[in-house]
Amino acid sequence: MQLAPRTERLWWRDAVTYQIYIRSFADSNGDGIGDINGIRSRLPYLKELGIDAIWITPWFPSPQKDHGYDVANYFDIEPDYGTLADAKALIAEAHAIGIRILLDIVPNHCSDQHEWFQAALKAAPGSKERERFHFLDGKGKNGELPPNNWPSVFGGVAWQRVIEADSKPGQWYLHLFATEQPDFNWENAEVREHFENILKFWLDLGIDGFRIDVAHAMIKAEGLPDIVEPEQGNEMLSATQHPFWDQEGVHDIHRSWRKILDSYPGDRMAVAEAWVSPATRIARYLRPDELANSFNFDFLITLWDAPEIKGRIVTSMAAMAEVGAPSSWVFNNHDLVRSVDRFDLGLLNVDKSTLHRQGDAKKFNLERGTRRARAGAMLMLALPGGAYVYQGEELALPEVRDIPEDRLTDPRWVMSGKVDRGRDGCRVPLPWHHEPTGAFGFSANESLKPVEAWLPQSEWWGKFAASQQDGKADSTLTMYRKALAIRKVEAGLGDGPMTWLEVNDKVIAFARPGNFVCYVNFGKEISLPAGAEVLLSSGPLTGDKLPTDTAVWLRVN
Ligand code: GLC
C-alpha cells in the first residue's frame, strides 16, 4: 500500500491516544472524585507528555454501578464530573493546544435508571417499552428459570427477574454485565435512532470521535440460543463463537455510524472495543466502510515473551493490511492488571480468581516488572500504527493489591462471589505530587489538607508521583516524554513500513525508514551494531551492549 506522507495522513493512523479514567485522573473540587475541570487543569501536563488525543471514559449521568458504563442519560454530564459548560470548555482548550478528544460511548446496555428502562419496568410484557430491551418469559413451570443459560461477564447468570404490576415475579431481562446494566435490543428501530442522535449531539459539540464500548456485543443470535459450556463463565475474549459476541449484524451498525462520522468535517473517527480473536476477526471491524481503529487485544493480553509478542505483531499487521487499516497497539487499560505486574508475573488476565488475575504478591518483582513495562512501551511506540496509553502507564504505576475488601467497588467483586477482586487495582487515583501533608495531589489543594479519594491510595503510592519523576533523567515519565518527542519528529515512525531484523529468538528487532532501528532484548545481553547512535533506551546500556528486558532506539549507518 502506498502511504501518504506523515503530515498528510489521517491523524488516527499514527495517533498516540491517552486514556483518561475520569474518576481517577484529577479532582478539581476536592470531593475525592476526578472531574472535567481536573482534566482541564492537567492539559499542560498532557501537552508536555506529547500525546495526540485523549479518550475519556464515560462522563454521562450514571449511578456508577460500573463507574459510568451504566449510563442513565447520554445527553448530559454526570454532576460529580461537572457540567456541559465544563465539557465545552475542555473541548475548546484541548483543541487550542492540538489535542483531540474521544468520548466513550456505551451502546450495548444502559443503566437501570435510564428513563427507557424505568418505563419498561412499569409497562406490561409485550409493550413497546419492553421491546427496547430483551425482556422474556422464564423457563420452568412458573417461569422461575432464566430464559437461557447465558452467564454474565461479571459472574452469575445474565438474567434478572422483575416484579410485575400485580406484585408477582414476572419476566426476565438480559444483562451481559452487571444486573444494573440492561442490554438494549438493537433490533428495535428506536434504539438505533437514539444512538444516532447521541453521536450527532456530541459530534456537534466538536468531539473528534468515539471509543465504542463492547462494540462486538450489540446484536445477539436470533432466538437467543443456549451456549454449550455455561459453567465456563463468560469471557470477553474467546476464539469460540458465542451467540452474544461478534455477530454479523454489529457490522451494519458500525457502517451506519461511519456514515455519520464522515458527514462531519475534520476526520472524525471511532475505535472499537471488540474483544475478538484472531486478528482477522478484528480486521473485519476496520473494513473501509467501518471503523478507524480497533484495540489489539491479542497484544494486550500477551506474555512477556519474544516469539509470542512477535507472532502477535506479525498476525495483527497482516490482518490489518488486508483491509488497509493501521494496527492499534495497547498494553494497558482500566479493565486489566497493569503491565508492570503482568509482564513480571506472566498473567493472562482471563482467569476468574484474584490469584490468577493479579498473581501472587510475594512473587512480584517491581524492579523487573518496571524494566519490562518500559521496554514494552518503547516497542509499542516504534511499531507501525497508533498506540493507546492508559493513564499512569507513563509513571510505570504497578497494580494496587492492598485495597481493603470493604473499599472494593468493582461489581466483579460481589458478582463473582468475592473470589475476584476485580479491576479497582488499576483504577486508583493518580499520584501527582508527594505533598508535605502526606497526600498525593490527586485532589486540588491537598498541599493544605489531604482529601480521602474514592479509592484509597496506599502510603507507598507517593513514590510514583509525577512530580517525583519530573526532570529525573532515569524516570519513566522522562522516558515517555522523550520517546513521544522522537516519535513526532521521526518521519519513519507511526504508520508505514517496517523490516524485521533477525538476531536470535529472544530479541525483537526491526528497522523503520530513516535508518531507525528498534531492539528489544528478552534474553541474555547482546551487542548492538557498531557505530550506531543511541536515540533512547528504556534502561541503562552496558557500553555497546543491550541488557535483558531493555529496549533501545538507534540510528544506524
Ligand atoms: C467495557 C469496559 C468495562 C465495562 C464493560 C461494560 O469492557 O471497558 O469497563 O465494565 O465494558 O460496559
Side-chain angles (χ1 to χ4, degrees):
M1 190 184 43
Q2 196 59 34
L3 264 182
R6 177 89 175 254
T7 45
E8 290 166 27
R9 297 208 276 272
L10 290 167
W11 66 273
W12 45 258
R13 293 193 73 93
D14 301 293
V16 177
T17 303
Y18 183 92
Q19 180 192 353
I20 293 187
Y21 193 73
I22 185 166
R23 214 176 164 72
S24 299
F25 185 65
D27 163 26
S28 72
N29 63 357
D31 62 358
I33 299 172
D35 47 42
I36 296 177
N37 288 338
I39 302 176
R40 289 171 68 194
S41 73
R42 299 292 179 194
L43 284 174
Y45 171 86
L46 295 171
K47 181 73 191 162
E48 190 180 352
L49 183 58
I51 49 94
D52 304 298
I54 52 179
W55 142 32
I56 304 173
T57 55
W59 62 6
F60 317 103
S62 158
Q64 306 290 331
K65 296 292 180 196
D66 187 19
H67 300 319
Y69 287 95
D70 47 325
V71 181
N73 170 9
Y74 292 82
F75 296 96
D76 208 343
I77 298 285
E78 161 64 38
D80 276 347
Y81 297 157
T83 63
L84 266 180
D86 298 335
K88 287 179 192 165
L90 169 66
I91 296 167
E93 289 163 11
H95 284 171
I97 56 169
I99 292 179
R100 290 187 156 92
I101 300 192
L102 308 183
L103 286 191
D104 208 322
I105 202 81
V106 191
N108 178 64
H109 45 263
C110 58
S111 155
D112 61 358
Q113 299 306 308
H114 191 283
E115 61 170 343
W116 279 8
F117 191 72
Q118 286 298 310
L121 286 179
K122 292 193 193 90
S127 60
K128 85 173 193 3
E129 287 81 358
R130 287 207 174 172
E131 268 300 298
R132 295 166 177 151
F133 299 91
H134 293 281
F135 274 89
L136 287 182
D137 295 333
K139 287 186 177 158
K141 220 163 103 219
N142 300 308
E144 71 282 9
L145 300 172
N148 70 19
N149 67 359
W150 294 0
S152 151
V153 173
F154 293 155
V157 294
W159 294 91
Q160 177 68 25
R161 200 170 190 190
V162 301
I163 302 294
E164 304 289 3
D166 61 3
S167 309
K168 297 207 176 99
Q171 288 197 301
W172 298 72
Y173 70 85
L174 175 69
H175 61 88
L176 284 181
F177 294 88
T179 317
E180 299 87 353
Q181 291 171 300
D183 280 49
F184 280 115
N185 171 14
W186 272 85
E187 307 297 344
N188 181 283
E190 278 185 288
V191 169
R192 290 186 187 234
E193 193 189 324
H194 190 55
F195 273 90
E196 288 176 11
N197 292 335
I198 294 164
L199 298 189
K200 289 176 190 160
F201 177 83
W202 293 103
L203 290 167
D204 285 340
L205 286 182
I207 63 116
D208 300 279
F210 301 96
R211 177 258 189 194
I212 306 174
D213 190 64
V214 278
H216 60 313
M218 284 94 95
I219 299 292
K220 278 76 182 176
E222 206 180 328
L224 313 190
D226 276 347
I227 58 169
V228 183
E229 293 180 6
E231 62 291 342
Q232 306 261 309
N234 187 351
E235 277 305 330
M236 295 255 272
L237 189 66
S238 104
T240 3
Q241 270 295 310
H242 278 310
F244 36 79
W245 300 141
D246 202 21
Q247 297 291 306
E248 201 49 42
V250 295
H251 296 285
D252 293 334
I253 301 172
H254 297 317
R255 280 188 203 102
S256 69
W257 286 16
R258 172 62 180 268
K259 287 199 184 105
I260 295 177
L261 292 164
D262 284 352
S263 71
Y264 283 80
D267 304 324
R268 316 284 174 112
M269 61 81 87
V271 47
E273 187 214 18
W275 284 90
V276 298
S277 185
T280 44
R281 296 295 297 183
I282 298 189
R284 301 177 84 248
Y285 290 77
L286 303 178
R287 288 175 289 195
D289 57 349
E290 294 194 44
L291 306 174
N293 287 179
S294 184
F295 301 115
N296 189 331
F297 286 114
D298 279 340
F299 201 62
L300 195 131
I301 58 167
T302 184
L303 296 174
W304 185 249
D305 176 81
E308 172 115 10
I309 293 184
K310 186 168 174 181
R312 287 168 194 241
I313 296 170
V314 169
T315 46
S316 169
M317 292 204 315
M320 299 306 138
E322 286 286 311
V323 292
S327 281
S328 303
W329 310 109
V330 57
F331 276 137
N332 289 279
N333 71 22
H334 65 293
D335 291 328
L336 298 174
V337 171
R338 286 196 179 263
S339 57
V340 172
D341 293 55
R342 261 189 8 247
F343 288 161
D344 186 53
L345 290 168
L347 305 175
L348 286 174
N349 266 298
V350 287
D351 296 282
K352 290 284 171 216
S353 75
T354 293
L355 185 64
H356 282 118
R357 261 181 201 278
Q358 291 192 340
D360 186 347
K362 290 194 268 330
K363 296 192 180 138
F364 175 51
N365 179 329
L366 174 69
E367 193 270 327
R368 187 175 54 204
T370 305
R371 221 179 326 129
R372 293 180 174 176
R374 289 171 59 129
M378 282 188 51
L379 163 68
M380 168 173 96
L381 293 173
L383 285 171
Y388 286 82
V389 175
Y390 175 46
Q391 67 181 37
E393 194 173 329
E394 79 281 17
L395 304 175
L397 292 184
E399 185 76 3
V400 178
R401 297 151 179 279
D402 56 3
I403 303 172
E405 290 187 352
D406 63 353
R407 295 289 303 274
L408 291 173
T409 68
D410 185 356
R412 249 184 205 283
W413 169 236
V414 171
M415 289 180 75
S416 69
K418 304 197 173 175
V419 295
D420 180 351
R421 283 169 68 89
R423 302 161 295 176
D424 288 330
C426 66
R427 299 174 173 178
V428 172
L430 285 193
W432 288 100
H433 304 283
H434 203 170
E435 308 281 9
T437 55
F440 307 128
F442 166 62
S443 296
N445 300 326
E446 276 200 314
S447 50
L448 305 173
K449 187 168 155 285
V451 170
E452 180 72 36
W454 72 278
L455 274 178
Q457 298 170 301
S458 297
E459 54 194 44
W460 51 268
W461 205 224
K463 71 169 183 273
F464 296 96
S467 63
Q468 302 288 109
Q469 303 197 26
D470 188 29
K472 298 229 171 79
D474 60 354
S475 76
T476 303
L477 180 59
T478 300
M479 183 200 85
Y480 265 89
R481 284 177 178 157
K482 284 189 180 160
L484 291 171
I486 294 173
R487 189 181 153 103
K488 275 215 165 72
V489 293
E490 277 293 317
L493 290 188
D495 204 10
M498 64 113 80
T499 314
W500 291 110
L501 304 174
E502 295 305 329
V503 181
N504 66 47
D505 66 357
K506 296 267 191 276
V507 175
I508 293 181
F510 52 93
R512 306 293 318 264
N515 297 335
F516 179 102
V517 170
C518 173
Y519 284 86
V520 190
N521 186 8
F522 297 70
K524 284 202 225 75
E525 194 169 81
I526 56 162
S527 297
L528 293 170
E533 177 198 351
V534 175
L535 302 175
L536 187 64
S537 65
S538 67
L541 304 179
T542 30
D544 60 355
K545 302 241 177 345
L546 183 67
T548 188
D549 294 334
T550 308
V552 67
W553 290 357
L554 301 175
R555 173 100 53 225
V556 290
N557 301 314

